[in-house]
Amino acid sequence: MQFNKIGYVYIFIAGLFWSLLGFFVTKLTECGFTSFEIIFFRLGIGFSTIAIFAKLKRPELLKIKRNMYIYVVLIAIFVQVIFNISYLKAINNIGTSTAAVLLYTSPLFVALFSRIIYKEKINILKLISLVVCFFGAFITVTEGKLNLQSLNLAGVIFGIIAAVAYSLFPIFSKKALEEMDSLTMIAYSFLIGALIILLKIDVGHMINCINSLKAVVLIGGLGIITGALAYIAYSVGVSKNVELSVAGVIASVELVFAVIVGWTLLGEAYSVVKLIGVLFMVASMVIALKSNKSTSSKKIDKNLSISKII
């Protein structure tokens, strides 16, 4: 259990860092940057941060086995490019707090994919946590009302696409981390993603928008905090024997902080119903943690029983 607890801490920290993404995106958009430019900054600076660290401290991190390229490319395309584009568009359409809630329907997809690919069991507590998670997201997005006319459908669709893409990160990274360091995986996925995004950027416009210390600080914070540090923390957490279906729910701490940031720093609309929805999401995280603890206890009891027989 000690390894799981350490993993929880890393995943919690990753969620905290990710919760600041909406803030940086909103502020950089106000500075005149496009969505593609913001994504490029996040991935490009994220890669540069890891590469500089590796060059100074651990040069071996920049080496990668040929059979690992497929995982890096898949993470770059789905998690770095598709996720970032969809999530930024969701933020611009429905706001930081609602986009964050939609993103955290991802544990549903993580549980589904991990069941299909890694044969992880979904016990009753996990099932309850997923249902509570979905219910909380539904309440926050709709405020309990199925009024499709007032619902920003494009924003919701982008939010769901972001959730699916986001859920693929632990799926791909769990296998990749068996043969490569998390820093290696993240660095190269950032690099490939940045090069793909660069094809859609007007470099002249991007340079013209970097015209103040505020813009430089925001760009640096975006790339280092929500890019390099967040993904490194999550990858390390997953490698500490935390089940993927549980890790996805633990990281939903991002939701709580993202909503707080949206309401306090960005002045987004607040309502009691939305707050109730967020509390349901938090409850789903607690239930997921209990489900993992219960599963681990059963494994320990089983091992003890076997040892007694032997």
Side-chain angles (χ1 to χ4, degrees), residues 229-241:
L229 297 181
Y231 277 96
I232 290 169
Y234 190 87
S235 297
V236 173
V238 169
S239 71
K240 297 295 182 181
N241 202 31

Side-chain angles (χ1 to χ4, degrees), residues 136-177:
F138 173 79
I139 290 179
T140 307
V141 172
T142 66
E143 295 193 46
K145 302 174 184 177
L146 279 175
N147 185 355
L148 297 180
Q149 293 181 342
S150 63
L151 195 65
N152 188 316
L153 189 58
V156 172
I157 291 174
F158 280 123
I160 293 174
I161 293 174
V164 174
Y166 177 79
S167 71
L168 292 173
F169 177 65
I171 301 299
F172 294 143
S173 64
K174 189 176 182 70
K175 187 67 175 178
L177 289 173

Side-chain angles (χ1 to χ4, degrees), residues 129-290:
S129 75
L130 293 173
V131 172
V132 172
C133 179
F134 177 79
F135 184 66
F138 173 79
I139 290 179
T140 307
V141 172
T142 66
E143 295 193 46
K145 302 174 184 177
L146 279 175
N147 185 355
L148 297 180
Q149 293 181 342
S150 63
L151 195 65
N152 188 316
L153 189 58
V156 172
I157 291 174
F158 280 123
I160 293 174
I161 293 174
V164 174
Y166 177 79
S167 71
L168 292 173
F169 177 65
I171 301 299
F172 294 143
S173 64
K174 189 176 182 70
K175 187 67 175 178
L177 289 173
E178 293 178 3
E179 295 194 43
M180 80 169 92
D181 192 278
S182 60
L183 285 176
T184 306
M185 178 186 70
I186 296 301
Y188 281 105
S189 68
F190 275 12
L191 176 60
I192 295 171
L195 292 175
I196 294 173
I197 292 295
L198 185 59
L199 299 175
K200 301 288 292 183
I201 288 177
D202 181 342
V203 178
H205 175 270
M206 181 175 68
I207 294 174
N208 288 334
C209 288
I210 308 175
N211 53 16
S212 67
L213 178 61
K214 175 185 176 182
V216 173
V217 171
L218 288 170
I219 291 169
L222 174 75
I224 295 171
I225 297 173
T226 74
L229 297 181
Y231 277 96
I232 290 169
Y234 190 87
S235 297
V236 173
V238 169
S239 71
K240 297 295 182 181
N241 202 31
V242 177
E243 289 190 353
L244 295 179
S245 53
V246 177
V249 182
I250 296 171
S252 62
V253 66
E254 173 192 349
L255 168 67
V256 180
F257 289 109
V259 169
I260 292 173
V261 168
W263 290 344
T264 57
L265 299 182
L266 301 177
E268 294 178 356
Y270 165 86
S271 75
V272 175
V273 177
K274 283 188 175 182
L275 178 60
I276 292 173
V278 172
L279 291 176
F280 269 103
M281 300 288 281
V282 175
S284 74
M285 179 175 65
V286 175
I287 296 170
L289 289 172
K290 287 185 177 296

